């Protein structure tokens, strides 16, 4: 009996020792919905104090003698999970965490000062020392990876007729989602490898994209996409008071005015990569503001930002966005200031209804080989984004050797899945329909047909107007583009047309030449050149009764070149004829028998256009280039027109000078102000169609370059100055009103003012009757010192796309047919 007892005790001790021996645990923790890795997650044994945290890529690894039968992971905002451990010496245990959809904690009221506030004051005091923009220059190699997925793929969604052909593909989605994750359908993935350069004075950036790999559904222009996926557009600096994200200004949690927007909790102190850090919880004071919630880690030794894990919830005043999550890891440079070495951004685009899909955008950026304070020559930064000649031609071997982080098995499967999906006929049709809606053209081989808004109109001159247009695409040529349209009116029985061609001579300093010939109907004061690119306003102005219509034949030859960065010069030779379809005459000459009237005229002009936009960013898209703005700098335009009498049958000699400046001004809590200031003068006597006939608006639609309550042809002048101003208040004021804040409406204020003058000499060209003795309509003149003025107020973002404003006319209220109050609408899609 004693032997049995001794044997049992020996077996128990030996078995316990075997069970208690040190084991290796590793794995990865990801978001079950998005598949993104979760950094800084607590990993520990259940009912034990021992544990670790995941790194920036969601990985963990440690050795331990387990004193529990399970391993647990927990993270704020996610449901805590546990998994059983085994007796194996090396165990890989992966976790997929579900969002628990709980909101951040309420702001706490403390009887004494919050200890986190002391840390924040030191962070702000040390910003100038730790901000990377303190460096005179820096450069690094950057790796960027972007993936777009369709999520919320329900059974009902799979049964839709358009999706049924993709069913076989959807069956393999589990390979991407994992056993416990939500299925997603990838539609785009890209990688880029580039060298990024920054210069402090003057502030310049340059990126040379050395390699780019793009795979996506409906993505044909690899060169354009390759310019968009580099580090230039993934710069997120929390040391700035306001950080531009999704074209919105978000308040940084370490902004100078942090206390107006945030509260904080000091939750922990811990070592991160050997550096002792404070862990601060960031809590928005108002969830509707464009602010962040989550965590930041601050180094104790110099109060620098070391890590960031922040989110923007669906309560924020953003459209179509359910969630924004940004994670960042920063490291000090040899000169002191910190640079991000890894950044991960996730944007979840909201599903419209529970049974409809949404979108996920996942962006990852890493930096290595950082060098500081070694500026390049100034001319090196001339072209902000440059695509290397062989950037799109690298094979898989190159990528395997040069990407900063190897692709996971899931990401490798994404490439194969996208190739399969985009070859399905139903998907090709859907992509084509979306492309037509967005661009207005349908691609047929080497030609794009459109644009569709101008296909049909009905008015009193033409009756039913039908129009068909086209332009060649890069499949036809990357140097030459032809375009045009043909239109026919059933009432006037006349054919109208435009035929044009242009040649791109240089892309480095964008240079092009072109020629155009056009015959069509126009309306005085509503010329296409004045209306600009507002297709809805231009198309609607062709319906109903046309005001002062005329037929015009116009021929143009032009040349354009960007002489240096931001400075573009254009020279145009233009010949026009004016043939009115309403009573019109002007005093052409006078002799002993009296005045000589003419009811038509022609002009031959030389036009010089100068444009300067400092720091403007352009992307080249095949045969055109796209402006991405110039970061708040004003844009200047100057135009000089010289009319040449007797040249090519011209009846008029005149000179005209115009100047225009516009700018968007970020105003922090007050949103964004946008102004456009314009002035001009005509130095000669001209028929009144050549005067500045100020753009009125008798349509129900708002357009920013028109005077909203001014009638067509109400005012004309030969010298003038005007100001259009819009204040977009975003959520200011409305975010603080209960219930109203949930609508996410945004206030917008408008003010337009104009003063002009018409000389006696130009007035003398206006006879009371035309050459047939018919009374002529005249326009109003500006009283001395009294400008035309109007103000508007209203809301935008109604139902996420409508802008509705009420306008009041402040002056000239007694003019004939004056419209002193009106409501205008506009469709606009903004985040």
């Amino acid at each position: 009996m004693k032997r049995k007892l001794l044997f049992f005790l020996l077996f128990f001790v030996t078995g316990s020792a075997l069970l208690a021996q040190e084991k290796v645990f590793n794995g990865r923790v990801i978001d079950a919905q998005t598949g993104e890795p979760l950094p800084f997650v607590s990993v520990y044994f259940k009912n034990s104090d021992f544990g670790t945290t995941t790194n920036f890529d969601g990985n963990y690894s440690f050795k331990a003698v387990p004193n529990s039968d399970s391993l647990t992971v927990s993270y704020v905002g996610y449901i805590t999970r546990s998994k059983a451990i085994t007796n194996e010496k090396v165990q890989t245990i992966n976790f997929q965490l579900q969002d628990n959809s709980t909101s951040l904690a309420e702001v706490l009221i403390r009887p004494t000062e919050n200890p986190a506030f002391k840390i924040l004051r030191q962070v702000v005091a040390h910003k100038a020392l730790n901000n990377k923009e303190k460096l005179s220059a820096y450069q690094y190699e950057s790796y960027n990876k972007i993936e777009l997925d369709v999520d919320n793929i329900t059974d009902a969604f799979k049964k839709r007729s358009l999706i049924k052909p993709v069913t076989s593909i959807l069956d393999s989605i589990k390979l991407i989602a994992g056993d416990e994750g939500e299925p997603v359908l990838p539609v785009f993935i890209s990688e880029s490898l580039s060298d990024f350069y920054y210069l402090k004075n003057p502030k310049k950036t340059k990126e040379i994209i050395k390699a780019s790999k793009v795979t996506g559904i409906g993505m044909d222009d690899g060169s354009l996409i390759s310019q968009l996926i580099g580090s230039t557009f993934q710069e997120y600096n929390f040391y700035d008071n306001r950080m531009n994200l999704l074209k919105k200004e978000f308040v940084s949690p370490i902004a100078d005015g942090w206390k107006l927007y945030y509260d904080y909790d000091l939750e922990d102190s811990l070592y991160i990569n050997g550096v002792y850090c404070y862990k601060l919880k960031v809590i928005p004071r108002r969830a509707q503001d464009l602010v962040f919630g989550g965590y930041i880690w601050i180094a104790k030794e110099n109060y620098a930002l070391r890590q960031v894990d922040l989110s923007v919830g669906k309560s924020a005043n953003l459209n179509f966005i359910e969630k924004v999550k940004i994670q960042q890891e920063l490291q000090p440079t040899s000169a002191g200031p910190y640079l991000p070495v890894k950044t991960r951004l996730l944007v979840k685009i909201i599903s419209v209804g529970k049974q409809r899909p949404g979108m996920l955008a996942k962006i990852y950026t890493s930096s290595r080989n950082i060098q500081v304070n070694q500026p390049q020559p100034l001319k090196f930064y001339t072209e902000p984004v440059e695509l290397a000649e062989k950037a799109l031609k690298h094979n898989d071997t190159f990528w395997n050797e040069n990407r900063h982080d190897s692709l996971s098995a899931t990401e490798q499967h994404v490439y194969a899945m996208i190739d399969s999906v985009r070859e399905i006929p139903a998907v090709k049709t859907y992509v084509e329909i979306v492309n037509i809606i967005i661009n207005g053209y349908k691609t047929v081989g080497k030609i794009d047909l459109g644009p569709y808004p101008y296909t049909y109109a009905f008015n009193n001159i033409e009756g039913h107007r039908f129009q068909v247009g086209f332009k060649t695409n890069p499949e036809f040529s990357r140097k030459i583009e032809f375009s045009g349209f043909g239109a026919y009116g059933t009432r006037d029985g006349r054919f109208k047309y435009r035929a044009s061609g242009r040649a791109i001579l240089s892309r480095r300093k964008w240079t092009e030449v072109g020629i155009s010939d056009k015959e069509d109907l126009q309306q005085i004061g509503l010329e296409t050149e004045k209306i600009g690119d507002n297709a809805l306003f231009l198309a609607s102005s062709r319906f109903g009764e046309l005001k002062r219509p005329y037929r015009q034949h116009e021929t143009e030859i032009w040349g354009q070149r960007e002489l240096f960065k931001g400075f573009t010069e254009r020279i145009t030779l233009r010949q026009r004829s004016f043939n009115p379809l309403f009573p019109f005459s002007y005093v052409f000459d006078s002799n002993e028998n009296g005045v000589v009237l003419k009811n038509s005229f022609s002009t031959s002009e030389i036009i010089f256009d100068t444009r300067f936009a400092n720091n403007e960013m352009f992307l080249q898209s095949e045969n055109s280039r796209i402006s991405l703005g110039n970061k708040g700098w004003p844009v200047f335009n100057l135009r000089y027109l010289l009319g040449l009498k007797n040249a090519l049958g011209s009846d008029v000699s005149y000179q005209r000078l115009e100047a225009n400046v516009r700018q968007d001004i970020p105003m922090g809590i007050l949103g964004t102000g946008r102004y456009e200031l314009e002035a001009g003068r005509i130095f000669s006597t001209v028929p009144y169609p050549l005067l500045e006939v100020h753009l009125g608006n008798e349509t129900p639609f708002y357009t920013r370059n028109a005077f909203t309550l001014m009638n067509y042809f109400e005012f004309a002048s030969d010298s003038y100055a005007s100001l259009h101003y819009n204040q977009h208040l975003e959520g200011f004021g409305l975010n603080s009103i209960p219930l109203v804040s949930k609508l996410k409406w945004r206030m917008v204020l408008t003010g337009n003012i104009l003063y002009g003058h018409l000389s006696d000499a130009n007035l003398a060209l206006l006879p009371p009757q035309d050459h047939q003795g018919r009374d002529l309509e005249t326009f109003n003149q500006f009283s001395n010192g009294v400008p035309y003025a109007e103000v508007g107020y209203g809301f935008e973002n109604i139902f996420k796309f409508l802008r509705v404003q009420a306008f009041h006319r402040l002056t000239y209220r007694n003019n004939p047919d004056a419209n002193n109050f009106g409501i205008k609408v506009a469709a606009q899609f903004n985040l």
Side-chain angles (χ1 to χ4, degrees):
M1 187 72 182
K2 290 180 181 179
R3 288 179 181 177
K4 289 182 178 179
L5 180 61
L6 182 62
F7 177 79
F8 177 78
L9 291 173
L10 181 62
F11 177 81
F12 178 79
V13 171
T14 305
S16 298
L18 290 172
L19 288 173
Q21 66 182 331
E22 188 176 66
K23 294 182 173 63
V24 177
F25 297 89
N26 58 59
R28 200 178 197 209
V29 184
I30 65 173
D31 186 306
Q33 188 176 40
T34 67
E36 284 294 279
L38 295 176
F40 328 129
V41 177
S42 297
V43 184
Y44 55 92
F45 291 115
K46 195 173 182 180
N47 302 320
S48 170
D49 293 332
F50 181 84
T52 185
T53 59
T54 60
N55 63 15
F56 188 84
D57 298 309
N59 298 314
Y60 72 90
S61 180
F62 64 92
K63 295 179 181 179
V65 178
N67 57 356
S68 174
D69 61 355
S70 62
L71 192 64
T72 300
V73 294
S74 65
Y75 194 50
V76 174
Y78 290 83
I79 298 173
T80 299
R81 291 204 59 192
S82 299
K83 285 190 175 183
I85 63 175
T86 66
N87 291 330
E88 296 179 8
K89 189 171 182 180
V90 179
Q91 300 180 44
T92 299
I93 305 176
N94 297 320
F95 292 87
Q96 293 178 311
L97 299 187
Q98 293 282 352
D99 192 328
N100 65 6
S101 301
T102 57
S103 59
L104 292 169
E106 300 291 332
V107 175
L108 303 177
I109 306 298
R110 301 175 177 83
T112 59
E113 185 183 43
N114 184 342
F117 287 2
K118 297 180 180 178
I119 298 172
L120 260 296
R121 282 197 290 270
Q122 289 296 325
V123 171
V124 172
H126 288 77
K127 278 171 64 174
L129 297 176
N130 295 320
N131 189 351
K132 63 181 182 179
E133 293 184 358
K134 175 181 180 292
L135 300 166
S136 62
Y138 59 79
Q139 64 189 67
Y140 53 79
E141 184 183 73
S142 176
Y143 169 74
N144 292 274
K145 180 170 57 185
I146 300 176
E147 182 181 335
L148 300 179
D149 303 318
V150 176
D151 73 336
N152 194 34
I153 300 175
T154 62
D155 291 336
F157 175 69
K158 293 180 184 180
K159 294 176 182 178
R160 296 175 67 178
S161 57
L162 180 64
I163 302 302
K164 283 184 178 179
V166 196
T167 302
S168 60
I169 303 296
L170 293 175
D171 290 340
S172 65
I173 282 180
K174 277 293 181 182
L175 292 173
I176 293 180
D179 292 337
E180 302 162 343
E182 303 271 344
V184 295
L185 176 63
V187 295
F188 174 85
I189 187 170
S190 70
E191 298 177 88
S192 70
L193 192 69
S194 60
D195 291 327
F196 184 83
Y197 301 82
Y198 168 83
L199 180 67
K200 179 180 180 180
N201 190 20
K203 190 172 181 179
K204 300 282 185 181
T205 62
K206 182 180 180 67
E207 182 173 18
I208 302 175
I209 300 175
K210 302 184 293 186
S212 177
K213 185 178 182 182
V214 179
T215 301
I217 299 172
M219 306 289 182
D220 296 324
D221 183 7
S223 64
L224 175 62
I225 299 298
S226 295
Q227 295 170 72
L228 283 167
I229 62 178
S231 286
T232 298
F233 303 100
Q234 318 304 334
E235 278 273 286
Y236 310 110
N237 186 4
F238 285 94
Y239 282 96
D240 292 335
N241 289 329
R242 289 185 173 268
M243 191 175 73
N244 191 286
L245 181 62
L246 302 175
K247 292 190 175 181
K248 293 287 185 179
E249 297 286 328
F250 287 79
V251 181
S252 169
I254 59 171
D256 294 344
W258 51 270
K259 208 169 186 179
L260 295 173
Y261 302 93
Y262 295 102
D263 198 11
Y264 305 82
D265 275 338
L266 175 58
E267 285 206 349
D268 199 1
S269 299
L270 68 164
Y271 282 93
I272 298 177
N273 296 329
V275 178
Y276 193 72
C277 296
Y278 300 112
K279 180 182 179 182
L280 300 181
K281 186 176 183 179
V282 179
I283 308 167
R285 290 187 177 272
R286 291 175 299 276
Q288 290 78 21
D289 288 348
L290 298 184
V291 293
F292 300 96
Y295 292 93
I296 57 175
W297 286 259
I298 306 297
K300 181 181 179 181
E301 60 181 0
N302 54 7
Y303 295 96
L305 196 62
R306 288 302 304 256
Q307 289 184 164
V308 162
D309 186 11
L310 297 170
S311 297
V312 179
K314 60 182 177 181
S315 296
N317 199 326
L318 285 171
N319 288 332
F320 317 113
I321 303 297
E322 182 175 331
K323 181 180 181 181
V324 178
K325 188 176 184 68
I326 185 168
Q327 300 160 333
Q328 195 172 76
E329 180 182 325
L330 300 96
Q331 290 183 2
T333 61
S334 58
Y338 283 63
L339 257 69
V341 291
K342 291 184 179 181
T343 301
R344 184 177 290 110
L345 175 68
L346 180 140
V347 179
K348 179 171 174 53
I349 301 172
I350 197 167
S351 305
V352 184
K354 293 183 179 180
Q355 299 301 320
R356 295 180 180 273
M359 289 287 294
L360 287 172
K362 298 183 282 188
I363 302 171
Y364 172 76
T365 301
S366 70
S367 306
R368 61 170 56 164
N369 302 329
I370 297 172
Q371 301 177 41
V372 299
N373 297 334
Q374 298 178 28
Q376 303 292 329
L378 186 58
K379 66 178 182 179
F380 173 80
Y381 302 89
T382 300
E383 197 67 36
V385 179
E386 185 177 316
L387 189 65
E389 184 178 349
K390 297 182 179 180
L392 303 175
K393 299 179 181 179
H394 293 288
N395 56 25
D396 290 342
T397 301
F398 172 89
W399 285 104
N400 292 335
E401 294 174 351
N402 289 277
R403 61 168 60 97
H404 290 190
D405 299 279
S406 59
L407 291 181
S408 64
T410 297
E411 290 165 335
Q412 293 174 24
H413 189 70
V414 166
Y415 275 109
M417 180 170 286
I418 290 174
D419 288 337
S420 299
V421 171
R422 66 181 178 182
E423 293 304 316
I424 296 174
V427 173
K428 289 183 177 180
T429 300
Y430 180 75
V431 169
E432 185 176 295
I433 292 172
V434 171
N435 184 59
I436 292 172
I437 293 173
I438 294 175
N439 299 318
Y441 286 88
K442 173 181 172 56
T443 299
V444 181
K446 299 179 180 182
I447 295 176
D448 296 340
L449 299 178
Y452 69 86
Y454 308 138
T455 302
Y456 173 78
F458 179 81
N459 57 67
N460 62 315
I461 302 297
E462 298 173 288
H464 298 279
R465 174 188 170 110
F466 300 96
Q467 178 173 314
V468 177
F470 81 98
K471 64 178 181 179
T472 60
N473 57 43
E475 290 295 317
F476 175 82
S477 173
R478 282 182 47 84
K479 293 184 177 181
I480 299 174
E481 179 186 271
F482 296 105
S483 63
F485 71 79
Y488 181 79
T490 58
R491 179 171 296 175
D492 66 358
R494 294 181 68 94
F495 180 73
K496 298 91 179 175
Y497 70 91
R498 179 179 64 82
S500 67
R502 66 186 182 100
I504 302 169
L505 305 183
S506 172
R507 283 179 162 81
R508 186 165 185 83
K509 287 190 175 182
W510 192 271
T511 306
E512 65 176 56
V513 295
I515 184 170
S516 173
D517 189 67
K518 174 182 176 182
E519 184 167 321
D520 201 359
L521 279 183
Q522 296 278 13
Q523 299 175 74
I524 294 178
L526 286 173
E527 287 82 3
T528 307
E529 186 179 44
K530 289 186 176 182
I531 294 175
D533 59 358
N534 191 323
L536 186 61
F537 182 80
L538 180 60
S540 65
S541 69
R542 288 191 175 275
F543 282 83
E545 183 178 352
L546 302 187
K547 304 295 180 66
R548 293 176 177 79
Y550 64 95
R551 292 193 181 98
Q552 176 178 275
H553 183 270
E554 177 184 270
T555 302
E556 287 186 331
I557 301 175
W558 74 87
Q560 175 182 313
R561 182 173 174 82
E562 186 178 46
L563 301 181
F564 57 86
K565 188 62 182 175
F567 188 90
T568 300
E569 190 69 36
R570 181 185 178 104
I571 302 175
T572 304
L573 303 178
R574 182 171 69 182
Q575 199 281 333
R576 294 184 294 169
S577 64
F578 176 88
N579 297 289
L581 300 177
F582 65 96
F584 165 79
S585 286
Y586 74 100
V587 177
F588 176 72
D589 200 356
S590 61
N591 52 40
E592 63 277 5
N593 297 320
V595 297
V596 178
L597 301 182
K598 284 193 69 172
N599 69 328
S600 64
F601 61 88
S602 296
T603 65
S604 296
E605 304 154 323
I606 302 177
I607 306 171
F608 299 91
D609 285 297
T610 300
R611 183 178 186 274
F612 178 68
N614 185 45
N615 211 30
E616 186 170 25
M617 171 76 71
F618 281 102
L619 294 184
Q620 293 185 16
S621 172
E622 297 294 352
N623 289 350
S624 62
R625 61 179 189 164
I626 302 167
S627 174
L628 298 180
N630 62 337
K631 299 182 180 179
W633 288 85
V635 178
F636 298 92
N637 290 277
L638 184 66
R639 166 173 278 202
Y640 173 73
L641 294 89
L642 177 63
L644 303 173
K645 191 173 183 179
N646 299 322
L648 300 176
S650 174
D651 301 307
V652 185
S653 174
Y654 75 102
Q655 296 184 69
R656 177 172 180 152
L657 185 65
E658 302 171 0
N660 173 287
V661 58
R662 57 180 173 82
Q663 185 180 14
D664 291 352
I665 308 174
M667 295 185 175
I669 194 172
L670 295 177
T672 301
R674 295 188 172 102
Y675 74 84
E676 184 166 357
L677 182 63
E678 188 171 7
R681 184 170 183 184
I682 301 169
F683 298 93
S684 315
T685 56
V686 292
Y688 74 71
L690 295 179
L691 296 173
E692 179 62 22
V693 180
H694 301 289
L695 183 60
N697 184 358
E698 296 181 18
T699 76
F701 303 109
Y702 169 80
T703 184
R704 69 178 185 178
N705 55 340
F707 293 93
T708 308
L709 296 181
M710 184 184 292
N711 293 325
Y712 298 150
F713 202 74
E714 186 174 352
F715 290 95
S717 57
D718 53 26
S719 59
Y720 63 94
S722 67
L723 172 66
H724 295 272
Y725 186 83
N726 279 275
Q727 184 69 39
H728 299 267
L729 291 170
E730 298 291 343
F732 177 71
L734 299 182
N735 282 350
S736 303
I737 303 175
L739 299 180
V740 175
S741 62
K742 295 184 180 297
L743 296 174
K744 296 187 179 180
W745 289 9
R746 303 164 188 168
M747 291 186 65
V748 58
L749 306 176
T750 300
N752 299 322
I753 190 168
L754 162 71
Y755 183 73
H757 174 73
L758 188 60
S759 67
D760 293 337
N762 272 313
L763 281 172
L765 296 186
L766 302 173
Q769 295 181 325
D770 70 357
H771 66 294
Q772 297 180 2
R774 296 175 296 182
D775 291 338
L776 298 180
E777 294 183 72
T778 59
F779 39 79
N780 295 285
Q781 298 182 52
F782 293 92
S783 301
N784 290 332
V786 180
Y788 172 88
E790 60 186 16
V791 295
Y793 51 87
F795 302 95
E796 51 187 353
N797 207 43
I798 301 172
F799 304 121
K800 302 189 187 304
F801 76 96
L802 277 181
R803 169 174 172 166
V804 179
Q805 273 189 277
F807 286 87
H808 294 273
R809 185 168 175 153
L810 302 181
T811 57
Y812 299 101
R813 296 172 60 87
N814 297 322
N815 277 3
D817 300 321
N819 188 11
N820 294 322
F821 175 78
I823 294 177
K824 303 288 184 178
V825 299
Q828 53 188 28
F829 292 91
N830 296 318
L831 290 180

